[in-house]
Amino acid sequence: MIRKTFLYRAKSSRYLAPSLVLLLTACGGGELDYAELEGTVWELTELTVMGGYDFSPDVPGDYTLRFESENRLRGNSDCNTFTGQWSAEQGFAVTEFDHTRTMCLSGSIHNFYVLYLPDVVNLTMEDELLVASTTTEGVRLAFQPAPQ
């Protein structure tokens, strides 16, 4: 079953092309055309860390991931922000990653998020979630499309 879902474009109020919407909402997940990520914004919904511990942010919008033009990456991590570059030449890779270092309130998952985000090596779609896997076995970050 395919559901109609729209993703917010980071720098405009335009929606993604219908073909991408179909690609991203196909059930069963699958391969992802990394080039189609440009202009999309995602919110963290679940983070599985080493040891199999699962965390879900109280407010998913506090943990965002923006794929911008020229392979720039930007987002929020609770009370902090981050920037970086991403490439998909030989798998997925995050480079030049940096983040602010404000101490967030108790209960924040900022430290886990910025620890694992630079280690992402693969992105797939599972139902309507963008799922990132890292170099650490069992670590998983799941994102939902950010509302406009």
Side-chain angles (χ1 to χ4, degrees):
M1 176 172 92
I2 297 177
R3 288 182 280 197
K4 195 174 194 181
T5 302
F6 295 100
L7 300 176
Y8 178 68
R9 291 205 56 111
K11 292 193 171 188
S12 72
S13 60
R14 293 176 289 166
Y15 293 102
L16 294 176
S19 60
L20 177 59
V21 171
L22 291 176
L23 169 72
L24 294 178
T25 59
C27 289
E31 293 300 314
L32 181 65
D33 182 357
Y34 293 130
E36 300 291 345
L37 288 171
E38 183 178 314
T40 61
V41 182
W42 302 85
E43 297 178 340
L44 183 70
T45 58
E46 184 179 318
L47 174 60
T48 303
V49 301
M50 207 162 125
Y53 298 100
D54 292 323
F55 297 92
S56 294
D58 292 334
V59 181
D62 287 349
Y63 299 87
T64 59
L65 181 62
R66 297 176 186 274
F67 292 91
E68 298 184 341
S69 62
E70 299 176 6
N71 288 19
R72 289 176 298 172
L73 192 62
R74 186 167 59 95
N76 295 324
S77 178
D78 196 0
C79 66
N80 288 284
T81 60
F82 63 83
T83 60
Q85 295 286 120
W86 65 275
S87 69
E89 293 175 13
Q90 296 178 353
F92 187 86
V94 175
T95 60
E96 300 177 34
F97 186 82
D98 195 19
H99 62 91
T100 58
R101 288 161 175 82
T102 302
M103 184 175 282
C104 300
L105 295 175
S106 176
S108 174
I109 58 174
H110 160 74
N111 290 334
F112 287 125
Y113 189 44
V114 297
L115 173 69
Y116 292 120
L117 195 57
D119 294 338
V120 171
V121 292
N122 189 43
L123 296 174
T124 57
M125 292 303 301
E126 293 180 14
D127 296 319
E128 294 180 9
L129 298 178
L130 177 68
V131 178
S133 54
T134 72
T135 54
T136 305
E137 187 177 335
V139 172
R140 179 179 181 270
L141 297 90
F143 299 88
Q144 67 186 7
Q148 57 172 321

